[in-house]
Amino acid sequence: MTDAASQTAPLGFVEWFRMGDHAHAETAIAMMRAAGVRRLRTQFSWAEYHMEGAEAWYDWLMPKLGDAFDLMPCFHYTPPSLSRTGRSSGAPHRLRDFADFVDLILTRHGRHFEAVELWNEPNNLLDWDWRADPDHCLYSDMMIDAAHWVRARGFPVVLGGPSPFDPIWLDLMGQRGLLALVDAVGVHGFPGTWDSEAGAWQGWEAQLASARDILDRYNPKAGLWITEAGYSTWAHDEMEQVRQYLAAHDAPADRLYWYAWRDIADEIAVQEGHWFDARHYHMGAVDAANRPKLLARLLTEGGAARARHVAALAAPSLRRTWARPVVITGGCGFIGTNLAESFLAEGEEVLLLDNLCRPGVEQNLEWLRDTYGPRAAVHVADIRHPRCAPAGLEEARAVFHLAAQTAVTTSLAHPSGDFEVNARGTVNLLEAVRATGRRIPVIYASTNKVYGDLEDVALDHLAEGYLPADPALRARGIGEDRPLDFHTPYGCSKGVAEQYVLDYARSYGMQSAVLRMSCIYGPHQFGTEDQGWVAHFLLRALAGAPITLFGDGDQVRDILHVSDAVAAYRATLDRIDAISGRAFNLGGGPENAVSLNRLLAEIGRLQGVAPEITHDRTRTGDQRYFVADTRALTEATGWQPVTGWKDGVASLRDWLARHRLPQTPDIRTRRKVSA
């Protein structure tokens, strides 16, 4: 496409729907529409149509899809009972039966179709058994009949393309007269997934130019479409999926259908067999649980233009070869951004390792790059991949490991994914550091959840919230001498990870330390109901939206401003020679302990309007009380917090109002807080 055309072309996707899966269809339609998808290519299986319930399924599905998208069905698969080979990949005994079937479906559902694609990947044995049709005579005769009738019914005809692309086959279809009957030819390509850049894949331009040359000989008016292109994120490289999407989007084709919207669920067998190849299961823009990957999120936020902008931000930048960078994993996240800024402001070089998958973090990256230029270098990678280490790690002067899955609720819903990020990802990073052969300090961000739910701590329910009945414990908080007691998958994965970090100091002489964090808040935070609750409360209050409390709201936490957290991380690095192999609590301590209800009252005072509050049941693993005893960290490094919680919350409110809600609604008509 031309640059102008590529910016305005409707987004097209491919999505296959399993018969009877109404829930997936409804969800996919809503999500694709929200992402700006307007064209859809989907299957219409001749073989499946002979199954019980198929007519009712397609009667339900086709109107749904046709109302939402410009719909192109791909007709394929012979009913085994009609096939010459007894399989769906065989030619029918009577070739014209395929045309008759297509004609039948056009009569029943044609009002929902924009165009009609005939067959899919004719050089794929699982789609078309060319061993029983070596010269493709049966194929071309069958397709000529079908194409004739589709055109007679007034529909554009699209010829499905082989994958990998085969110009000899396409030329043969021209010699047989089939190309003269089509309005477009579909080309498939999966660079980096099925097609090797070093082998078969020569780029979209070369592949499309070859197809165009053949079309110009037999049917110059025919369009050239990419009817299937995709990239599997089986290795967790979601940014590469974005880049490959943009490459296909910018290719000189008349339109693009990207494969696919959703990952294939683990329990579903693909054509080759159940889990024959992991790549099949990760082709989607969202995962099997409908959680958006980076591509889906960026398309939803602003289409191809948004994806292009973030891909440019994430491009590798030239580093000063003599510099010894500070490496921060999760460096575009909330704490990572603040920590990076502290070093960048002093003229140091920082290397940010981030997969950019958390919504909003690209805004932090953009701010760092705009403010500090190429000294804020970025390496887009996922720590779940064993080769996640950025170039330049061997020169690093320190590694701050902040990348993590951070929500208890997410860990309960997806424990395996939580383990892969927090536990396996940490081991991957430690091994990458160990492989450098240098004693690069590694400072790990752990959590107070490693102490469990603290149910054995006797609490008094006071006006200030839940506080320890033991006056000494109330005065100092929970210390590092508290036995570890991992609760919830999140507590387990973070606890396992921190123990690996500490053991690498014992087993391999690595310089490492752990900070078990309480609730950190401050600028550049994207607060949600599951994580970053101080910012979440403020954002909801600023928007005049109700706030849900899980439990009675008298849970007590010590909250710490991010500027104090940054100071603690840097103090730990400064003293790493003396404190390597130790874990410390990091939080606001008793001086910054506050109940959720008290915090909300303070937010109401700042707003001049009481937040609207609803209550839900207490969540699994939620502590009624946690206040960190930070005396050990103070004694070891001299660190102590300097920002009081009221001042910190007020400053975060002002920052959020300026940067997250530039048009703050007027909510002063709500009930005033009593004096």
Side-chain angles (χ1 to χ4, degrees):
M1 303 179 200
T2 64
D3 289 343
S6 69
Q7 294 300 321
T8 58
L11 298 183
F13 262 79
V14 181
E15 184 67 0
W16 278 189
F17 298 95
R18 289 174 60 82
M19 193 170 75
D21 195 349
H22 298 81
H24 167 45
E26 295 275 18
T27 301
I29 289 169
M31 293 185 75
M32 282 191 282
R33 290 287 296 181
V37 177
R38 294 297 178 266
R39 290 173 174 160
L40 181 69
R41 172 180 176 258
T42 193
Q43 90 284 15
F44 207 116
S45 170
W46 184 16
E48 186 178 78
Y49 204 74
H50 280 60
M51 297 171 61
E52 183 178 354
E55 287 190 11
W57 164 244
Y58 282 109
D59 285 347
W60 178 87
L61 181 65
M62 291 298 112
K64 288 276 186 183
L65 299 179
D67 287 347
F69 308 104
D70 292 335
L71 182 61
M72 181 173 73
C74 173
F75 287 96
H76 59 168
Y77 296 145
T78 307
S81 61
L82 304 180
S83 170
R84 300 183 186 204
T85 65
R87 297 184 178 185
S88 62
S89 57
H93 290 287
R94 182 177 180 271
L95 297 178
R96 191 166 292 180
D97 283 349
F98 178 60
D100 290 343
F101 169 70
V102 174
D103 187 49
L104 171 70
I105 299 305
L106 292 179
T107 299
R108 190 170 187 128
H109 297 294
R111 64 189 181 278
H112 305 301
F113 302 157
E114 178 203 18
V116 172
E117 183 181 11
L118 299 177
W119 220 262
N120 181 40
E121 296 188 358
N123 62 346
N124 181 343
L125 282 171
L126 297 172
D127 278 337
W128 184 262
D129 191 348
W130 43 262
R131 295 170 303 185
D133 183 28
D135 55 4
H136 274 85
C137 281
L138 298 177
Y139 179 91
S140 57
D141 288 349
M142 182 184 77
M143 297 293 280
I144 286 170
D145 284 343
H148 171 80
W149 282 113
V150 172
R151 294 192 86 180
R153 296 293 305 270
F155 293 89
V157 178
V158 181
L159 175 63
S163 182
F165 175 68
D166 184 350
I168 296 175
W169 178 88
L170 188 61
D171 186 75
L172 179 63
M173 294 302 103
Q175 296 175 34
R176 298 271 170 78
L178 177 56
L179 292 186
L181 295 174
V182 304
D183 298 279
V185 165
V187 176
H188 296 188
F190 298 86
T193 295
W194 307 118
D195 303 320
S196 166
E197 296 279 2
W201 187 252
Q202 298 180 5
W204 283 112
E205 289 199 7
Q207 184 161 301
L208 292 167
S210 177
R212 184 73 263 171
D213 180 64
I214 296 167
L215 276 179
D216 286 345
R217 293 203 296 271
Y218 298 104
N219 185 353
K221 294 182 179 180
L224 186 56
W225 298 1
I226 300 173
T227 49
E228 198 164 289
Y231 183 82
S232 174
T233 62
W234 69 280
H236 312 296
D237 46 354
E238 295 184 15
M239 178 52 74
E240 185 60 23
Q241 185 183 55
V242 173
R243 294 188 179 109
Q244 293 290 354
Y245 172 83
L246 291 172
H249 183 274
D250 295 342
D254 298 310
R255 68 169 65 180
L256 165 68
Y257 292 90
W258 185 259
Y259 179 86
W261 180 253
R262 190 180 75 164
D263 283 350
I264 297 173
D266 289 355
E267 66 273 12
I268 295 174
V270 297
Q271 284 179 308
E272 290 85 350
H274 195 222
W275 274 96
F276 177 81
D277 190 324
R279 289 174 291 183
H280 282 293
Y281 288 82
H282 301 280
M283 300 293 295
V286 305
D287 70 12
N290 291 310
R291 293 173 296 185
K293 299 179 189 177
L294 185 59
L295 176 60
R297 179 167 68 79
L298 295 178
L299 291 178
T300 302
E301 291 175 358
R306 179 63 176 160
R308 195 181 314 281
H309 176 71
V310 174
L313 273 178
S317 55
L318 292 175
R319 297 177 49 251
R320 297 175 293 179
T321 56
W322 51 266
R324 295 187 61 200
V326 172
V327 174
I328 305 175
T329 74
C332 300
F334 154 53
I335 299 176
T337 297
N338 284 276
L339 183 59
E341 182 194 13
S342 76
F343 287 105
L344 290 165
E346 295 176 358
E348 295 207 45
E349 182 167 297
V350 174
L351 181 53
L352 310 162
L353 192 157
D354 205 297
N355 63 7
L356 299 185
C357 288
R358 183 175 172 86
V361 295
E362 69 277 1
Q363 297 177 36
N364 290 341
L365 173 59
E366 186 169 17
W367 179 79
L368 287 170
R369 296 291 287 268
D370 286 347
T371 306
Y372 298 104
R375 285 192 295 109
V378 63
H379 175 70
V380 179
D382 193 299
I383 60 172
R384 288 174 290 181
H385 196 290
R387 295 183 297 278
C388 64
L393 177 64
E394 64 279 358
E395 302 298 330
R397 77 175 187 91
V399 175
F400 293 92
H401 180 27
L402 308 178
Q405 191 296 111
T406 57
V408 171
T409 50
T410 300
S411 80
L412 289 164
H414 306 284
S416 295
D418 173 81
F419 174 85
E420 289 293 321
V421 175
N422 292 348
R424 191 182 304 278
T426 297
V427 173
N428 287 340
L429 179 69
L430 290 169
E431 282 294 278
V433 173
R434 188 165 74 94
T436 67
R438 295 181 54 234
R439 295 186 73 213
I440 302 172
V442 176
I443 300 171
Y444 177 61
S446 188
T447 172
N448 62 32
K449 293 295 188 291
V450 298
Y451 296 119
D453 59 14
L454 306 179
E455 279 296 315
D456 62 309
V457 176
L459 301 175
D460 292 333
H461 194 175
L462 307 174
E464 304 96 314
Y466 294 103
L467 294 174
D470 180 350
L473 185 58
R474 187 183 303 182
R476 66 176 184 267
I478 302 295
E480 292 88 351
D481 57 349
R482 171 81 188 182
L484 299 180
D485 186 18
F486 304 160
H487 282 214
T488 75
Y490 173 71
C492 291
S493 65
K494 293 293 285 186
V496 165
E498 75 159 50
Q499 294 305 299
Y500 267 100
V501 171
L502 296 175
D503 186 70
Y504 267 58
R506 289 188 293 264
S507 296
Y508 302 111
M510 182 178 287
Q511 289 186 317
S512 65
V514 169
L515 297 180
R516 295 170 178 158
M517 293 190 295
S518 292
C519 305
I520 314 297
Y521 67 96
H524 303 289
Q525 189 170 30
F526 294 86
T528 68
E529 195 169 64
D530 295 324
Q531 198 272 335
W533 55 272
V534 176
H536 172 69
F537 285 176
L538 285 165
L539 287 167
R540 300 288 288 180
L542 284 165
I547 296 169
T548 299
L549 291 181
F550 295 90
D552 57 17
D554 281 339
Q555 304 98 307
V556 170
R557 301 286 185 270
D558 60 325
I559 62 177
L560 183 69
H561 193 268
V562 70
S563 60
D564 287 324
V566 166
Y569 276 99
R570 296 198 58 166
T572 302
L573 176 60
D574 291 342
R575 295 282 294 155
I576 194 65
D577 288 338
I579 64 177
S580 180
R582 294 180 62 186
F584 300 93
N585 289 340
L586 174 60
E591 297 81 8
N592 292 290
V594 60
S595 72
L596 275 60
N597 285 327
R598 189 179 175 198
L599 175 64
L600 286 169
E602 179 63 15
I603 291 172
R605 187 190 69 79
L606 292 170
Q607 287 289 96
V609 179
E612 180 182 334
I613 300 170
T614 60
H615 289 268
D616 203 339
R617 62 182 179 83
T618 301
R619 296 184 293 194
T620 301
D622 198 10
Q623 300 156 326
R624 288 189 298 169
Y625 165 87
F626 188 90
V627 173
D629 179 354
T630 60
R631 291 177 299 167
L633 184 61
T634 299
E635 291 169 3
T637 68
W639 170 89
Q640 56 185 354
V642 297
T643 303
W645 73 268
K646 288 187 178 181
D647 290 340
V649 169
S651 68
L652 177 56
R653 176 196 176 276
D654 293 343
W655 189 91
L656 292 171
R658 291 194 307 272
H659 297 280
R660 296 283 187 263
L661 293 174
Q663 302 295 325
T664 304
D666 184 0
I667 57 172
R668 294 183 179 275
T669 56
R670 295 185 181 272
R671 176 172 56 86
K672 297 290 183 180
V673 179
S674 58

